[in-house]
Amino acid sequence: MQRFVTFVDGSNLDGVLKHLNLRVDDYGSFYRYIFEQSVSHWGRTFAEGAPWESAQHARIYWYVVGKMDEWDLNDSKAESRLRNRFELNPRLRDSYVEDVIRKSPDISPERRLDEAWGLCFAETREWYEGKRRALERKKRFYHGVQSATDFVEIRQEGHWKVDLLHHNLTEKGLDTSMAVDMVALQDTYDVALLISGDADGIPGINYVKNKAKHVGVVEFRRGSRDESLKGASSRLKIAADFVVQIYEADLIRRDLSYRANPEYDNTGDY
């Protein structure tokens, strides 16, 4: 019995599905199809010309963002700290001052900075609250997926680092947690499947390969397998033992996905 375990970088999967303009509702069927294709690719790579061992999809570990930097924007001290940063950032400060002047040409020079900060802070509050709501929707969505599929384990290991004034998020922790677990859980599988685009996982791949494990990377492709387009190489794919190519046309034809509204992502977040 060959035991397969799948490690999923949730942000990478979300990004790929958005790029292909695909939406998935039934992730149980979606992952079963990936498993079936992976077993076939593994067999052609390692057991060509011989009977293949039976395979078991033991577990899917799906790594997602579970928290973000916490800010209480109703706290006057927090606002004061942000305003200080705002005033010390000439490019940001001046861009808002220009907006104020454009909207209110007659505003006095003495009021311009206060108005600029008020505009920045209002936009920042709206942006931050929107991201908080988005994270809560994502968490509810992943909870629903885990409840509906017996073999999926959601691991909320990721963290959004927030740059409030520039309205920017940086994701931390997903790739590291996935690489650590791939090594720590090596006794639970014979074949590791990775849905990831992060080359930081290569040391983990090399480690488990040296422990006689096989590693496959899942690649999602536009079009169909009949179009015979050459895929781009990557360090992650080169490090793996085999690459499983999943085509958008096959996903749609098998009712495993469908064309998404471009404003709707695959975690139920607008």
Side-chain angles (χ1 to χ4, degrees):
M1 174 74 73
Q2 290 291 314
R3 300 166 300 168
F4 283 66
V5 167
T6 302
F7 297 90
V8 182
D9 179 333
S11 293
N12 177 262
L13 179 60
D14 288 348
V16 166
L17 293 176
K18 284 181 183 179
H19 179 68
L20 296 176
N21 191 28
L22 296 177
R23 184 179 173 198
V24 174
D25 286 343
D26 183 355
Y27 276 93
S29 297
F30 175 80
Y31 282 126
R32 278 191 291 271
Y33 174 70
I34 292 174
F35 168 62
E36 292 167 2
Q37 294 299 305
S38 300
V39 172
S40 177
H41 279 72
W42 170 83
R44 292 199 301 271
T45 302
F46 292 102
E48 187 69 34
W52 298 356
E53 293 187 60
S54 59
Q56 175 191 32
H57 201 184
R59 183 67 55 187
I60 294 170
Y61 297 104
W62 192 347
Y63 297 80
V64 301
V65 172
K67 58 184 178 180
M68 64 187 293
D69 289 349
E70 290 288 340
W71 281 85
D72 181 2
L73 296 182
N74 294 315
D75 182 354
S76 60
K77 292 182 179 179
E79 181 180 355
S80 179
R81 289 198 301 273
L82 287 173
R83 175 158 185 170
N84 186 55
R85 294 181 193 175
F86 171 80
E87 293 182 1
L88 292 174
N89 188 324
R91 180 177 296 180
L92 181 68
R93 180 195 65 215
D94 292 348
S95 70
Y96 275 98
V97 169
E98 289 173 5
D99 283 348
V100 167
I101 295 173
R102 188 163 46 248
K103 293 175 182 177
S104 305
D106 298 330
I107 190 169
S108 66
E110 295 78 14
R111 289 186 53 207
R112 288 173 184 171
L113 186 58
D114 284 343
E115 292 294 323
W117 167 243
L119 179 60
C120 176
F121 188 64
E123 291 181 357
T124 296
R125 182 193 294 274
E126 182 179 3
W127 175 83
Y128 181 70
E129 290 305 317
K131 294 305 178 184
R132 281 174 57 90
R133 291 192 297 270
L135 181 58
E136 290 307 311
R137 286 195 295 270
K138 286 177 180 290
K139 290 163 73 172
R140 289 195 298 270
F141 169 79
Y142 289 125
H143 177 74
V145 170
Q146 181 164 302
S147 298
T149 50
D150 295 334
F151 51 90
V152 172
E153 180 173 325
I154 303 295
R155 297 205 163 184
Q156 297 183 27
E157 302 287 349
H159 171 254
W160 280 344
K161 184 175 177 58
V162 176
D163 181 349
L164 274 176
L165 294 182
H166 292 93
H167 304 169
N168 185 51
L169 295 175
T170 304
E171 188 177 277
K172 301 290 186 180
L174 281 188
D175 51 348
T176 302
S177 296
M178 193 166 74
V180 168
D181 284 353
M182 188 169 66
V183 172
L185 298 169
Q186 62 182 294
D187 292 337
T188 68
Y189 63 83
D190 303 297
V191 183
L193 300 175
L194 300 184
I195 299 178
S196 175
D198 201 317
D200 289 345
I202 290 175
I205 290 176
N206 291 334
Y207 181 88
V208 298
K209 283 169 62 177
N210 288 335
K211 299 296 183 179
K213 307 297 181 180
H214 297 159
V215 179
V217 169
V218 178
E219 177 189 31
F220 294 89
R221 302 284 302 278
R222 286 195 181 279
S224 68
R225 64 185 68 251
D226 297 330
E227 294 173 350
S228 64
L229 297 174
K230 184 178 180 181
S233 62
S234 71
R235 291 173 56 204
L236 195 69
K237 288 160 59 178
I238 292 170
D241 293 307
F242 62 99
V243 178
V244 185
Q245 295 180 334
I246 304 295
Y247 291 88
E248 62 172 343
D250 292 335
L251 293 173
I252 293 172
R253 185 171 59 251
R254 295 169 182 268
D255 292 326
L256 297 172
S257 68
Y258 56 91
R259 293 297 178 197
N261 182 330
E263 296 182 354
Y264 193 101
D265 79 12
N266 289 276
T267 61
D269 179 25
Y270 289 91

